[in-house]
Amino acid sequence: AALAACPAGAVDPLPSWNDTPAKQRILSFVAKVTNEGSADFVPPEARIATFDNDGTLWCEQPMYVQLAFALARVKTLAPQHPEWRNTQPFQAVLEDDMKALVADGKHGLAELIAATHAGMTSDQFEEIAGDWIAAAKHPRFKQLYTQCVYQPQLELLDYLRASGFKTFIVSGGGIEFMRPWTQRVYGIAPPQVVGSSIVTEFQIKDGKPVLMRLPKVNFIDDKAGKPVGIGQHIGQRPILAFGNSAGDLEMLQYTTGGGGARLGLLVYHNDAQREYAYGPAGGLPDSKIGTFPQSLMDQAEKSGWVVVGMKDDWGRIFPFDPQ
Amino acid sequence: AALAACPAGAVDPLPSWNDTPAKQRILSFVAKVTNEGSADFVPPEARIATFDNDGTLWCEQPMYVQLAFALARVKTLAPQHPEWRNTQPFQAVLEDDMKALVADGKHGLAELIAATHAGMTSDQFEEIAGDWIAAAKHPRFKQLYTQCVYQPQLELLDYLRASGFKTFIVSGGGIEFMRPWTQRVYGIAPPQVVGSSIVTEFQIKDGKPVLMRLPKVNFIDDKAGKPVGIGQHIGQRPILAFGNSAGDLEMLQYTTGGGGARLGLLVYHNDAQREYAYGPAGGLPDSKIGTFPQSLMDQAEKSGWVVVGMKDDWGRIFPFDPQ
Ligand SMILES: [Ca+2]
Ligand SMILES: [Ca+2]
């Protein structure tokens, strides 16, 4: 079946994927759902593929990029907020005291989001986020965050679209944090980005009609929220879903629980040398970011989901890695 | 400019539109935003067009099609609910007593929606709505409701897509009521449909992962909700928006309030002979369905929005009308 997708003389659509069973599973799945003669044929309008973002399309360690954005934003805004010097969680951010920040927990995070993601119009936020992401670099790789995306996944996105799929992001991250750059980086247009959001309100401000961002959570697109977000935004059950953590369990269940051919995939970060290694599945170090528990590994085996181990399945990780 | 869009020998992209200023405004707008040499050029990824549905793309009189669906559904389900025979609003529906139904007001409508739109999975609802719409006919035109769509608008949707636009529905109607048929009827895929919704919940039911529809409102995509729905689902400000009632005011404000070339349009139903005539703008009869108040007409004039009068601007209304 893989050969059918890749006839002699044809260019390998996934050159950064090693020739392992993971790649074969992808190639044979795409071959059968696009082959009109196949019992598993799926018409183009039903070829929906959903991808988690953090840890699935781009690097999420040592912290979520959006958290790095929020921290940087606090520092930028600090001169206008002298009270932040002795108010948590801002003091912790300004003093680079990650322990105090973590101790402040979810409440602190909500305050950070309110202070950095709300109180401006959607257009203003798009500009702020877009400007930051255009310059901000990963602390280890010293490359733009938007360069710290996985080359094999860029190839997979292209390959799926060339095979008639519509590709969507379904992320726990903020929908408006991603939209300014997903077209340029992943070829995924803003309407095809699903994510968490805060409440927006239509207002006429200084005579201009705007959407004002309010400091109130609207929707959390994680865990059981992912199928709900898919239902809201896409309105079709995907036939392929790719995630990397416990937050993707329900999306993979929902996707592979439909009739006909389905494919569930998970990135497993087991490559400390080229990227990061974390689980705790398979005995890797535990991580609060992108947790991949053993229970998810067991579920993947039971459900026939493809666990893509970075170390063995990907020949190249980042676009800036040597070919 | 219209000539530029329609060079000698080219086929008229809008044959069901009469040669009036409304048609000229559309042709010249599309010509300038698609002309790379024009100061008003808009790159394809920003060519977003949003259309209201009821009264803009299809006939909404003598009642919203979705209400006709809900009423029919009550009758279908009545044998399982003997108590409905003496409980409002169901009794009114079963006795075809529209006066009593209207007297029951918004509370009655909410009960009808809960009884007919919730308590099943999204997949089941899609099938129920899809089956009904495949057979239900308009009481006056004796054609399928999906035939009672406006031929000029079908041509406009095709013309915009051929000109690089993405076309979206942004309707006060139920998002899942529309999605089963919008691709077939309008060429608009489910992800490009924005509408009102009820809350859905991810559940494993009889071992199958499903989205269960709960009897609780999630989002009302009307009035100031329309720009909010656009922000959520599209994440880009449209450059063209087409509505027909007071519920579209904010969508048109939001659309035409952006920078660069923008076009706002409103269908004005002033053709009792071929369709319906209602306002109350311009002295036409008032209507609770699709109200077009004089204040909207005044706003349209002030803002330069195009009021498309059915009677004069459309040569043909429905696909089943003689050419
Ligand atoms: Ca993730
Ligand atoms: Ca309408």
mmCIF file of all heavy atoms in Angstrom, chain B residues 52 54 60 244, ligand 2:
data_model
loop_
_atom_site.group_PDB
_atom_site.id
_atom_site.type_symbol
_atom_site.label_atom_id
_atom_site.label_comp_id
_atom_site.label_asym_id
_atom_site.label_seq_id
_atom_site.Cartn_x
_atom_site.Cartn_y
_atom_site.Cartn_z
ATOM 1 N N ASP B 52 -25.403 36.363 5.656
ATOM 2 C CA ASP B 52 -26.523 35.886 6.444
ATOM 3 C C ASP B 52 -27.272 34.826 5.626
ATOM 4 O O ASP B 52 -27.135 34.793 4.397
ATOM 5 C CB ASP B 52 -27.427 37.082 6.770
ATOM 6 C CG ASP B 52 -28.754 36.664 7.324
ATOM 7 O OD1 ASP B 52 -28.764 36.037 8.399
ATOM 8 O OD2 ASP B 52 -29.780 36.938 6.673
ATOM 9 N N ASP B 54 -31.028 33.297 6.436
ATOM 10 C CA ASP B 54 -32.482 33.484 6.326
ATOM 11 C C ASP B 54 -32.808 34.844 5.726
ATOM 12 O O ASP B 54 -32.454 35.883 6.291
ATOM 13 C CB ASP B 54 -33.131 33.383 7.716
ATOM 14 C CG ASP B 54 -32.959 32.007 8.343
ATOM 15 O OD1 ASP B 54 -33.266 31.010 7.670
ATOM 16 O OD2 ASP B 54 -32.504 31.925 9.505
ATOM 17 N N GLU B 60 -37.338 33.255 3.926
ATOM 18 C CA GLU B 60 -37.576 33.082 5.362
ATOM 19 C C GLU B 60 -39.049 33.241 5.724
ATOM 20 O O GLU B 60 -39.418 33.149 6.892
ATOM 21 C CB GLU B 60 -36.758 34.088 6.153
ATOM 22 C CG GLU B 60 -37.132 35.543 5.890
ATOM 23 C CD GLU B 60 -36.225 36.535 6.594
ATOM 24 O OE1 GLU B 60 -35.459 36.139 7.491
ATOM 25 O OE2 GLU B 60 -36.265 37.727 6.229
ATOM 26 N N ASN B 244 -29.866 41.059 5.562
ATOM 27 C CA ASN B 244 -31.184 41.516 5.136
ATOM 28 C C ASN B 244 -32.033 42.101 6.258
ATOM 29 O O ASN B 244 -33.186 42.429 6.031
ATOM 30 C CB ASN B 244 -31.977 40.377 4.492
ATOM 31 C CG ASN B 244 -32.620 39.477 5.533
ATOM 32 O OD1 ASN B 244 -31.917 38.930 6.388
ATOM 33 N ND2 ASN B 244 -33.937 39.330 5.512
HETATM 34 CA CA CA C 2 -31.693 37.249 7.903
#
